[in-house]
């Protein structure tokens, strides 16, 4: 009987993991001792960081899509279906269209879901760049926006890519300057806690950048209602902000499947932060945005975690004791305008250092976006 | 006192680092009716200052902070 390794999700984490497993367990797959299956509900793999550039007309959402089948090693079976239930006692998954699928080792990499409905009026009154359609609509709104109040509100954390909202306002500032209309636009950035970002050093850096660029900051601002008629954003703290163009980072949740399977609260899988093994079930791992670990919801995290889980599963399949661990390594590039960027690198318990922004780092970020397709294939 | 305080809701944020516990609390406050007593369990030291600061800002009441040894229970009543 062959051992069945199943991965749910064909995004960053799932794709890197599938390719790493194919690479590590190639001989066992060829001999029929191991089968690797990816179950994903979309024919396309989506590289979300591209969406940040769409509102400024620098990229098209099509640039973010590639067929999953082109990126995944041919030794991995792909099932295009939606997982609708996880039974960790019987070790099987229910699928929307196909028969139940049994597994010996399961990795959950379903990413996050956006829940804009949690904030009344947000869908009608706000824009965002956290989805394909949102990014395209925001591009059209930005093209017409030449005066008034641009408000970017971070509504709840955690959210994907903690740097992206900071990047968006710094890019918007520069983009509006280059278009000659910055003097007619007021920009305000809001954040739910008492500083401009969850990570202290990024908050300090961003606050200085914002001050220099005349961007207002409102902290302890938890948006709880949008009035699309009056164009007012209300917060739980009783504050109000008038806006002309609202960019809201929508609230996120993990996957309902996770809560239903008893694997963690709020849809986030409760895992050991080093082994990425689920605390509530045997032979279940979680990587990427759906895993509850104390670091950022970033593609780099999904990528490094996939490497750890590939090593651990390969060791188990071979009857060895798994020793690979994930130490919280996170790397984030941060755009500081339209042609300058910086980056941060940190691990569990570390505070990152933010270096001054520069043009070469901006080009490095753009270069990375191009070479991402090699990363997903497991080549980088 | 703390031993007898019966929260309506308990939010277990032990193990989460800043700003996790505060955000977990904010999420629960958002869903709660006025007068709800929430116990926030946190092992993150900074919660002892950032939670009271937010409660002040948002107008909710801090009832008590109890040292439980390896974590703190922060009792809050929504306004
Ligand atoms: C605007 C923006 C900018 C970003 N910029 C950066 C950046 O610069 N750097 C960085 O590191 N990160 C960045 N990120 C974050 C990064 O995109 C995510 O952290 C990363 O994609 C997480 O990978 P994942 O594998 O967990 O989830 P995803 O890549 O989201 O993949 C999840 C997959 O699961 C599938 N799926 C979901 N539910 C089911 C189901 N029930 N059954 C079957 N399949 C399912 C989905 O179709 C998808 O294929 C950015 C994100 C956004 C939105």
């Amino acid at each position: 009987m062959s051992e069945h390794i199943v991965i749910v999700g064909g995004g960053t984490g799932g794709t890197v993991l599938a390719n790493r497993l194919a690479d590590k367990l190639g001989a066992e797959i060829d001999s029929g001792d191991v089968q690797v299956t990816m179950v994903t509900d979309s024919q396309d793999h989506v590289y979300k960081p591209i969406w940040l550039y769409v509102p400024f007309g620098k990229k098209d959402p099509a640039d973010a899509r590639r067929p999953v089948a082109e990126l995944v090693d041919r030794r991995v079976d792909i099932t295009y279906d939606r997982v609708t239930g996880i039974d960790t006692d019987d070790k099987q998954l229910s699928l929307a269209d196909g028969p139940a699928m049994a597994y010996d080792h399961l990795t959950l990499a379903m990413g996050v879901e956006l829940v804009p409905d949690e904030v009344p009026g947000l869908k009608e009154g706000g824009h965002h760049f956290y989805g394909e359609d949102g990014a395209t609509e925001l591009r059209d709104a930005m093209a017409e926006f030449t005066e008034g109040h641009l408000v970017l509100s971070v509504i709840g954390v955690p959210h994907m890519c903690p740097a992206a909202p900071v990047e968006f306002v710094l890019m918007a500032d520069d983009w509006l300057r280059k278009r000659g209309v910055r003097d007619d636009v007021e920009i305000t950035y809001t954040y739910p806690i008492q500083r401009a970002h969850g990570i202290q050093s990024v908050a300090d850096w961003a606050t200085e950048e914002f001050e220099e660029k005349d961007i207002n900051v409102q902290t302890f601002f938890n948006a709880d209602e949008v009035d699309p008629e009056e164009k007012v954003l209300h917060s739980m703290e009783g504050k109000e902000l008038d806006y002309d163009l609202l960019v809201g980072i929508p609230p996120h949740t993990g996957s309902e499947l996770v809560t239903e399977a008893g694997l963690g609260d709020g849809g986030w899988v409760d895992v050991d932060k080093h082994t990425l093994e689920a605390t509530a079930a045997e032979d279940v791992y979680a990587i990427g945005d759906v895993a509850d670990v104390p670091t950022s919801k970033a593609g780099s995290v999904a990528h490094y975690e996939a490497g750890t889980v590939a090593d651990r599963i390969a060791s188990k399949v071979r009857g060895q004791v798994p020793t690979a661990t994930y130490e919280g390594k996170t790397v984030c590039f941060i755009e500081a305008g339209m042609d300058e960027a910086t980056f941060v690198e940190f691990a569990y318990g570390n505070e990152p250092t933010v270096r001054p922004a520069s043009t070469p780092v901006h080009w490095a970020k753009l270069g990375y976006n191009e070479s991402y397709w090699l990363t997903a294939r497991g080549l980088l | 006192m703390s031993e007898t305080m019966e929260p309506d809701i308990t939010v277990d944020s032990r193990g989460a680092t800043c700003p996790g516990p505060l955000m977990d609390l904010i999420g629960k406050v958002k869903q709660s009716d006025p007068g709800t007593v929430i116990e926030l369990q946190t092992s993150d030291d900074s919660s002892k200052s950032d939670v009271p600061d937010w409660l002040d800002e948002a107008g909710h009441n801090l009832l008590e902070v109890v040292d439980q040894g390896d974590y703190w229970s922060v009792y809050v009543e929504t306004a």
Side-chain angles (χ1 to χ4, degrees):
Chain A
M1 267 259 309
S2 73
E3 291 222 38
H4 194 195
I5 304 172
V6 177
I7 302 162
V8 185
T12 299
T15 303
V16 174
L17 176 60
N19 287 324
R20 288 283 168 90
L21 284 170
D23 194 34
K24 285 193 168 291
L25 295 170
E28 287 88 343
I29 296 173
D30 290 343
S31 66
D33 292 335
V34 167
Q35 188 192 350
V36 180
T37 304
M38 170 192 277
V39 189
T40 186
D41 61 358
S42 161
Q43 298 267 339
D44 280 342
H45 173 106
V46 178
Y47 180 54
K48 298 170 178 174
I50 294 297
W51 295 337
L52 173 65
Y53 300 89
V54 173
F56 305 104
K58 296 286 176 195
K59 289 277 181 193
D60 196 76
D63 298 329
R65 289 185 163 269
R66 289 274 171 98
V68 178
E70 268 182 24
L71 299 170
V72 172
D73 192 293
R74 57 182 173 71
R75 288 169 292 193
V76 173
D77 298 322
I78 308 176
T79 299
Y80 296 103
D81 208 335
R82 189 162 175 84
V83 173
T84 52
I86 307 167
D87 181 342
T88 56
D89 293 330
D90 285 346
K91 296 183 103 173
Q92 65 172 19
L93 305 176
S94 340
L95 305 183
D97 295 322
M101 183 184 282
Y103 67 82
D104 298 296
H105 309 269
L106 175 68
T107 303
L108 301 174
M110 294 97 93
V112 295
E113 277 169 33
L114 304 180
V115 281
D117 288 335
E118 280 189 4
V119 180
L122 179 60
K123 267 215 287 250
E124 301 77 25
H127 288 276
H128 71 87
F129 58 96
Y130 269 55
E132 269 198 35
D133 294 346
T136 318
E137 283 162 26
L138 180 54
R139 177 193 61 203
D140 298 344
M142 289 286 286
E144 283 176 7
F145 186 66
T146 50
E147 59 179 346
H149 193 187
L150 170 64
V151 174
L152 181 138
S153 184
V154 178
I155 306 174
V157 287
H159 59 79
M160 286 182 277
C161 195
V166 172
E167 294 181 279
F168 182 86
V169 281
L170 292 174
M171 288 166 81
D173 164 76
D174 195 11
W175 190 77
L176 293 164
R177 277 178 209 278
K178 288 185 168 120
R179 299 185 77 211
V181 296
R182 180 64 176 91
D183 286 346
D184 301 320
V185 175
E186 185 181 358
I187 304 180
T188 300
Y189 167 97
T190 83
Y191 203 70
I193 61 164
Q194 73 280 29
R195 53 176 186 261
H197 194 271
I199 300 168
Q200 184 70 54
S201 55
V202 175
D204 293 344
W205 173 80
T207 303
E208 220 169 275
E209 288 282 315
F210 290 162
E211 217 170 270
E212 211 171 275
K213 292 172 179 166
D214 207 14
I215 296 166
N216 313 319
V217 181
Q218 289 245 1
T219 54
F220 271 150
F221 190 102
N222 285 277
D224 68 352
E225 198 173 344
V226 179
D227 182 342
E229 302 287 319
E230 297 295 321
K231 297 197 163 188
V232 182
L233 178 63
H234 298 269
S235 86
M236 281 173 81
E237 295 78 12
K239 295 177 211 161
E240 285 183 0
L241 265 180
D242 293 333
Y243 67 84
D244 294 292
L245 180 61
L246 172 64
V247 181
I249 308 301
H252 288 36
T253 61
S255 168
E256 243 176 58
L257 290 173
V258 170
T259 315
E260 284 163 11
L263 288 168
D265 292 338
W268 314 111
V269 186
D270 201 2
V271 291
D272 179 292
K273 68 178 181 179
H274 295 294
T275 65
L276 305 164
E277 287 169 15
T279 48
E282 292 277 301
D283 298 314
V284 179
Y285 303 78
I287 57 173
D289 292 347
V290 79
D292 188 6
V293 292
T295 186
S296 304
K297 303 228 170 281
S300 62
V301 170
H303 175 167
Y304 296 123
E305 289 176 336
T308 300
V309 169
D311 282 357
R312 294 189 73 83
I313 292 179
S315 299
K316 277 211 169 162
V317 165
R318 293 178 180 145
Q320 300 159 358
V321 176
T323 54
T325 54
Y326 172 65
E327 301 305 327
K329 184 169 176 187
T330 308
V331 181
C332 294
F333 282 105
I334 308 174
E335 295 283 15
M338 294 310 290
D339 41 32
E340 272 195 344
T342 180
F343 75 100
V344 288
E345 190 181 349
F346 52 101
Y348 292 142
N350 286 170
E351 187 67 33
T353 306
V354 189
R355 296 164 188 81
S358 71
T359 311
V361 179
H362 165 71
W363 287 108
K365 177 158 186 176
L366 296 190
Y368 180 81
N369 285 343
E370 293 300 320
S371 63
Y372 169 76
W373 304 107
L374 299 175
T375 304
R377 283 200 186 97
L379 297 173
L380 280 183
Chain B
M1 279 257 303
S2 57
E3 282 76 17
T4 56
M5 194 174 291
E6 278 289 323
D8 299 305
I9 302 170
T10 298
V11 182
D12 183 356
S13 296
R14 288 172 295 175
T17 51
C18 167
L22 174 61
M23 287 312 302
D24 290 344
L25 175 70
I26 291 173
K28 274 287 178 279
V29 170
K30 212 175 207 169
Q31 299 159 3
S32 303
D33 294 329
T36 307
V37 175
I38 303 174
E39 175 195 0
L40 174 70
Q41 300 178 338
T42 171
S43 49
D44 185 56
D45 196 35
S46 51
S47 301
K48 282 190 295 173
S49 56
D50 64 13
V51 170
D53 285 353
W54 180 74
L55 293 173
D56 221 24
E57 187 88 14
H60 302 291
N61 306 317
L62 176 65
L63 300 177
E64 197 179 5
V65 180
V66 181
D67 190 341
Q68 309 278 19
D70 52 353
Y71 69 96
W72 291 272
S73 290
V74 184
Y75 291 93
V76 171
E77 186 185 20
T78 58

